[in-house]
Amino acid sequence: MKNKVSIIVLVFVIVIVGYSFHFAESKGLTVNNESSKQNQSNNKNKIEYLPASTTGQIVVHQNYSLSYNEKYEQAEWIFYKLKVQGANQSFKRPYFILDPNVKTKSADYKNYKNSGYDKGHLCPAADMKFSKDAFDDTFYTSNISPQKSEFNGGIWNRLENKTRYWAEKNNGLYVVTGGVLKDGLKTIGKEKVAVPDQFYKILLQENNGKYKMIAFLMPNQMSDRPLYEYVVSVDEIEKMTAIDFFPALPDAIENELEKSSDYKAWSF
């Protein structure tokens, strides 16, 4: 009888542990430097080509990942694979909420109130319209950065639209986005959220072992200039941010792609 009871208890424990693991995984998780390689292997479809983190605080959500920088109260980068197919659904915009997976607590949205800056999405909500859960996940405060309204709704919006166009044309793209974080930046709110002077977006397209890459670096201000005038090399952005953006690429390919600022392979 005791053996039967023991077996029943063991099965119950296994079921509970398995459910807890599944629930945690579905909500995203925070990984540190020691476990990040293992998590990258286990979540290859989510975080393939994941950039390196300078902070050790990588958060993996269901459809995008980020590296949170507590010093500047925002992500130093957001990473995801963008596929436009089926991304035309319309959802009501939710309220911004704290990211439960940022162990140091992401900055509150109230820091932006009356600041003169938009709560600028790094991973655009429009890139995640294939499901309501994916759309809602972009409203974590870990996914926003202070942007001037004329920049957010202007040239930055143009770049986001062009990125979706390229994703559809190229059957998907890997996207890395962030503000250039450094000492001496203006801050807003009680938590002193840094206001980046510049924002970057890096796109990687891979097709049957063939790659192409393009990077943009833009000042946080209004501009009517064409997008291609903001194309820079990834090496230039890496020097400014100290981030290794594509450590998973073979070195020879990475070095060749990241030194180039040639945009001829991309249709403007």
Side-chain angles (χ1 to χ4, degrees), residues 79-95:
F79 170 86
Y80 58 102
K81 186 170 185 180
L82 173 59
K83 289 187 176 181
V84 176
Q85 295 87 343
N88 295 315
Q89 300 183 67
S90 180
F91 303 110
K92 182 180 178 181
R93 290 169 66 93
Y95 294 108

Side-chain angles (χ1 to χ4, degrees), residues 32-237:
N32 55 30
N33 281 334
E34 289 74 23
S35 61
S36 61
K37 289 184 178 179
Q38 180 178 354
N39 279 289
Q40 288 181 36
S41 176
N42 293 339
N43 297 280
K44 184 177 180 182
N45 291 330
K46 297 180 187 176
I47 55 177
E48 190 176 11
Y49 300 127
L50 191 73
S53 171
T54 69
T55 67
Q57 190 172 187
I58 295 177
V59 175
V60 181
H61 288 295
Q62 192 67 29
N63 295 287
Y64 70 92
S65 304
L66 63 93
S67 173
Y68 198 77
N69 194 317
E70 176 66 20
K71 179 179 179 180
Y72 300 103
E73 291 290 2
Q74 61 197 279
E76 62 177 351
W77 52 253
I78 295 284
F79 170 86
Y80 58 102
K81 186 170 185 180
L82 173 59
K83 289 187 176 181
V84 176
Q85 295 87 343
N88 295 315
Q89 300 183 67
S90 180
F91 303 110
K92 182 180 178 181
R93 290 169 66 93
Y95 294 108
F96 283 96
I97 61 172
L98 300 181
D99 189 334
N101 299 308
V102 173
K103 61 187 178 183
T104 53
K105 191 176 86 66
S106 59
D108 194 286
Y109 75 92
K110 292 178 182 177
N111 290 284
Y112 290 76
K113 188 175 182 179
N114 299 323
S115 69
Y117 291 90
D118 286 358
K119 296 182 282 290
H121 279 81
L122 296 176
C123 175
D127 286 1
M128 297 288 161
K129 284 188 173 182
F130 51 85
S131 79
K132 188 176 188 307
D133 285 345
F135 182 82
D136 288 352
D137 277 354
T138 66
F139 286 83
Y140 289 127
T141 56
S142 58
N143 184 42
I144 57 175
S145 182
Q147 294 182 337
K148 292 183 178 179
S149 181
E150 58 269 28
F151 170 74
N152 184 27
I155 192 168
W156 190 248
N157 182 58
R158 280 199 281 139
L159 178 57
E160 291 175 339
N161 286 329
K162 180 63 75 172
T163 299
R164 285 187 281 273
Y165 165 77
W166 281 325
E168 188 166 11
K169 184 176 180 180
N170 293 281
N171 193 31
L173 292 171
Y174 295 97
V175 183
V176 189
T177 302
V180 177
L181 305 178
K182 59 184 180 181
D183 291 341
L185 292 173
K186 176 182 177 179
T187 62
I188 59 172
K190 292 182 179 180
E191 294 178 276
K192 299 187 182 301
V193 179
V195 180
D197 293 328
Q198 297 170 292
F199 285 87
Y200 65 84
K201 189 179 291 291
I202 305 171
L203 311 177
L204 172 68
Q205 190 261 323
E206 187 248 332
N207 186 14
N208 295 323
K210 295 182 179 180
Y211 300 86
K212 64 179 181 179
M213 185 181 291
I214 191 169
F216 298 85
L217 182 65
M218 296 180 167
N220 188 5
Q221 62 189 32
M222 183 181 70
S223 174
D224 294 323
R225 292 166 57 187
L227 293 174
Y228 61 78
E229 291 190 9
Y230 293 99
V231 174
V232 298
S233 69
V234 175
D235 281 343
E236 182 176 341
I237 301 175

Side-chain angles (χ1 to χ4, degrees), residues 40 49-52 238 244-251 254 258:
Q40 288 181 36
Y49 300 127
L50 191 73
E238 287 189 337
D244 184 0
F245 286 105
F246 295 101
L249 281 174
D251 287 343
E254 180 185 9
E258 292 186 351

